[in-house]
Amino acid sequence: MSITEGKYAASMDMWPLQGKKFTRIYPFFDNLKEGRLTTTKCKDCGTLSFPPRGVICPECLSENLEWVDLPTKGTALSVTYEEVGVPIGFETPLVHAMVDLGGVLTLFSRIKDCPMGALKVGDEVKLVVFPVDPQPFDGKKGEDNVIQRVFFCFEKA
Amino acid sequence: MRNVCIIAGGQNLWGVRQATQRDMIQEAGKACFNDNPAVTNKDIDGFIVGACHTERCSFQTHLAPQAAECLGIKPVNLCCRVELLCATGSTGIILADAMIRSGKADVVMVVGVEKLYMPQRWEIPFSELGTCDHEFDCTNGMGLPPPAFATVAQQHMKLYGTTEEQLAMVAVKNRRNGLNNKNGQMQKAITLEEAMSSRIIVRPLKLTDCCPVTDGGAAVILACEEKAKDLTDKPLVYIRGTAQATQHQMSANFNNGIWSTWDTLRIAGEQAYKHARVTPQDIDVAQTHDCFTISEIVEMEELGFCKKGEGGPFVQAGKNDFGGQVAVNTDGGLLSCGHPFGGTGLRQGIEIMHQLRGDAVKQVEGARIGLTHNLSGLISAHTVLIYGRDME
């Protein structure tokens, strides 16, 4: 668009804001960059939250949270292949599986690079971390004003 | 507490519309006033507008005053917007009912609208990436929800033996019911063979198992019983009970992965039945949220029309059709009418109003008690309303 040419619009950006400057769950993304899938656990009531919480435990409202590692391998409990109508930026088929992370958590996640029929119920899947568009911001003079970002899904083990 | 009646309702043509959000607010409002000439824009003292993607697709916040302005309404009580994705319209009715019941307002209009089609179609599924948990579900491509409902269907088939034919029968029935609905998006009947051979979207869901993407609007007017008696010469239709329950947002927090059981709907249904002092067996006509064919099957179970797991045979036996136990989606439902999020719950209420007044396009003879149900998000919130020709 002429008036916004060359500008980055976070309001048209499908990836989450990342970096300490913009989100209180920045450790989630920092940990992802190290290949770790993490979330927050309440040190008072023991509740494990997903998605991770930046401020309080939704169960007991305690602010006493810690970051814990989740398994990076799991089992596909169900698999779906979306053959048409997938959002821009995603390939067809867009594959989703319900993934059991060792009984700790059940995630409904995308399965990357999965042709029709390649993943079946009962198959093992593993975490995959990939880079997404960097996030520019209004910084101070001389400051590196781009945040490198990642996101995650799973792939067949 | 006062009794509340629905005294007018109307909708515009739903589908891919050559009209803006603002145009459709006027179309829906006009249709509503046309339904009951005894009530005018000057009678409205409270105003609620329902719209989900107004900021995204129409770049417009502070929509309620704009919508009221479009319809010549100057509310002296509340004027606000409500949003609960697919259940936006029925949530507006719940709030209007509560305002009137408590004495906060006397005559409230609820307008629901959704403008989704942009000049380039790719924007629709992109905008939908704001509907589930944006950061953790939508970034995995979960916006429009066919994969979630395909998972429901897979589990239901595995646990209870539900078949693809039974799914298709829901589509065939609802398309048949919507055939003469002049405001519907599809208005085309299909055979079981056509449904079974339609294009796969996400197995086991085929094209005809999924409701379309829709532009559209609808509007209703609610009034306290005393005002209603003056403002309509048609039979009074009462709002007897309203309920809504919510238990999660993100997929990771949905019933430990058992998606074919919708406890949240059971809770909302039980609350609505209790408030209305009726049982599932008392319901003559229902509009339930058939965003996908599997949804209607699960809803028959969780609303108590049949036992858990028997939704498939219930549909196969025609018990959710005219002449059956309870006529469901008598105007065609989402599968035939389409599904503009802000409008759907209102469309359902309008159809129940017509059924209980006895002037529906496809009438359930002698209907006295009706029900509407919306689910919203990743099957995370359920909204149930019960209407009656009388309060007892």
Side-chain angles (χ1 to χ4, degrees):
Chain A
M1 204 186 330
S2 59
I3 60 168
T4 55
E5 201 167 347
K7 302 286 187 196
Y8 157 85
S11 54
M12 281 299 291
D13 179 357
M14 72 165 267
W15 303 106
L17 292 176
Q18 300 183 16
K20 193 172 183 178
K21 205 176 176 74
F22 295 103
T23 171
R24 291 181 67 169
I25 61 161
Y26 67 91
F28 177 81
F29 302 104
D30 289 348
N31 294 338
L32 265 190
K33 285 175 182 165
E34 296 172 3
R36 295 165 56 206
L37 182 66
T38 55
T39 194
T40 51
K41 186 177 180 180
C42 178
K43 287 163 91 168
D44 288 337
C45 78
T47 300
L48 183 95
S49 292
F50 201 90
R53 305 298 174 182
V55 182
I56 56 166
C57 166
E59 192 60 34
C60 75
L61 311 184
S62 164
E63 295 169 272
N64 197 10
L65 305 177
E66 63 178 341
W67 287 91
V68 296
D69 280 86
L70 292 166
T72 55
K73 286 188 176 168
T75 310
L77 299 178
S78 68
V79 187
T80 62
Y81 295 86
E82 190 169 20
E83 300 180 33
V84 290
V86 309
I88 194 166
F90 292 94
E91 289 181 359
T92 306
L94 174 55
V95 184
H96 281 90
M98 195 176 286
V99 174
D100 170 27
L101 290 178
V104 180
L105 188 68
T106 307
L107 277 184
F108 194 66
S109 182
R110 181 163 73 92
I111 304 297
K112 195 168 177 284
D113 300 330
C114 183
M116 286 300 297
L119 186 78
K120 295 182 176 61
V121 172
D123 284 350
E124 295 289 304
V125 296
K126 64 178 184 193
L127 181 74
V128 53
V129 179
F130 51 90
V132 300
D133 298 331
Q135 169 194 308
F137 61 93
D138 290 339
K140 296 191 185 90
K141 201 172 181 182
E143 185 183 8
D144 178 10
N145 66 340
V146 175
I147 292 173
Q148 300 302 323
R149 292 186 295 180
V150 294
F151 207 71
F152 76 101
C153 64
F154 285 80
E155 63 185 359
K156 192 173 178 182
Chain B
M1 292 290 210
R2 308 193 292 180
N3 290 330
V4 181
C5 300
I6 177 169
I7 60 167
Q11 69 166 88
N12 65 345
L13 174 66
W14 287 10
V16 185
R17 290 300 315 280
Q18 287 75 42
T20 63
Q21 177 169 271
R22 186 189 303 239
D23 293 333
M24 294 197 293
I25 287 166
Q26 287 208 313
E27 288 176 345
K30 178 67 175 166
C32 180
F33 287 117
N34 282 350
D35 176 60
N36 179 0
V39 60
T40 75
N41 49 1
K42 308 297 182 253
D43 294 312
I44 309 294
D45 65 342
F47 186 78
I48 296 172
V49 65
C52 305
H53 285 62
T54 175
E55 284 93 356
R56 180 117 213 138
C57 301
S58 301
F59 214 149
Q60 183 65 60
T61 309
H62 210 241
L63 181 63
Q66 185 187 70
E69 187 183 86
C70 285
L71 297 172
I73 293 167
K74 295 177 179 176
V76 292
N77 289 311
L78 200 70
C79 179
C80 71
R81 171 175 153 223
V82 59
E83 185 273 310
L84 192 76
L85 193 58
C86 313
T88 293
S90 47
T91 304
I93 297 178
I94 290 181
L95 295 174
D97 171 80
M99 281 173 67
I100 297 168
R101 208 167 286 278
S102 65
K104 177 70 187 158
D106 288 335
V107 184
V108 180
M109 185 173 210
V110 185
V111 178
V113 66
E114 211 61 52
K115 177 63 188 172
L116 288 171
Y117 283 95
M118 295 288 110
Q120 295 185 356
R121 294 282 172 97
W122 69 268
E123 283 199 57
I124 296 169
F126 189 75
S127 296
E128 293 306 307
L129 293 174
T131 56
C132 302
D133 185 308
H134 176 72
E135 292 187 18
F136 287 90
D137 274 329
C138 299
T139 35
N140 270 315
M142 268 300 301
L144 289 171
F149 286 87
T151 302
V152 173
Q154 287 179 8
Q155 291 186 355
H156 207 273
M157 292 165 87
K158 191 174 174 185
L159 278 170
Y160 307 115
T162 306
T163 66
E164 289 188 36
E165 284 81 2
Q166 289 165 344
L167 299 183
M169 284 170 186
V170 174
V172 171
K173 170 183 71 77
N174 292 355
R175 287 290 197 91
R176 182 169 63 235
N177 287 351
L179 187 57
N180 294 315
N181 182 342
K182 64 181 174 50
N183 293 317
Q185 186 165 1
M186 307 310 284
Q187 300 185 43
K188 186 174 182 296
I190 49 167
T191 64
L192 189 63
E193 293 69 32
E194 285 166 338
M196 286 299 289
S197 60
S198 74
R199 184 176 184 182
I200 299 282
I201 304 296
V202 188
R203 198 172 291 278
L205 301 177
K206 306 173 188 72
L207 183 63
T208 53
D209 289 307
C210 309
C211 75
V213 172
T214 309
D215 287 341
V220 301
I221 299 170
L222 273 56
C224 62
E225 188 177 16
E226 303 73 51
K227 288 265 185 183
K229 284 174 178 165
D230 291 337
L231 291 175
T232 183
D233 49 11
K234 295 186 170 130
L236 289 184
V237 174
Y238 292 87
I239 296 183
R240 289 193 52 158
T242 67
Q244 186 175 89
T246 309
Q247 293 195 325
H248 70 274
Q249 162 76 338
M250 196 199 162
S251 59
N253 299 312
F254 181 12
N255 206 26
N256 295 316
I258 312 297
W259 289 8
S260 54
T261 293
W262 297 355
D263 290 333
T264 318
L265 173 52
R266 186 161 293 265
I267 292 165
E270 283 170 358
Q271 291 223 75
Y273 290 133
K274 187 178 154 204
H275 292 166
R277 300 179 305 281
V278 298
T279 69
Q281 284 65 46
D282 295 323
I283 306 296
D284 300 310
V285 55
Q287 312 301 315
T288 74
H289 198 93
D290 57 327
C291 48
F292 298 89
T293 50
I294 184 61
S295 312
E296 185 167 320
I297 288 175
V298 179
E299 287 151 11
M300 296 303 97
E301 300 167 355
E302 306 295 1
L303 283 167
F305 297 146
C306 64
K307 287 184 184 151
K308 186 66 205 169
E310 294 181 2
F314 188 81
V315 164
Q316 187 157 10
K319 291 185 179 176
N320 61 341
D321 203 351
F322 284 84
Q325 180 184 319
V326 52
V328 177
N329 289 321
T330 46
D331 64 352
L334 284 67
L335 287 166
S336 191
C337 299
H339 180 28
F341 311 130
T344 285
L346 300 177
R347 185 218 96 228
Q348 295 177 327
I350 293 164
E351 171 64 5
I352 292 295
M353 175 188 76
H354 285 302
Q355 289 288 351
L356 302 192
R357 290 197 319 211
D359 58 13
V361 172
K362 209 171 167 186
Q363 181 66 41
V364 176
E365 289 309 318
R368 303 288 294 182
I369 299 177
L371 175 150
T372 68
H373 158 256
N374 282 150
L375 67 82
S376 51
L378 217 158
I379 319 178
S380 44
H382 288 272
T383 306
V384 179
L385 280 74
I386 295 173
Y387 298 76
R389 271 287 282 114
D390 32 45
M391 285 301 290
E392 292 303 328

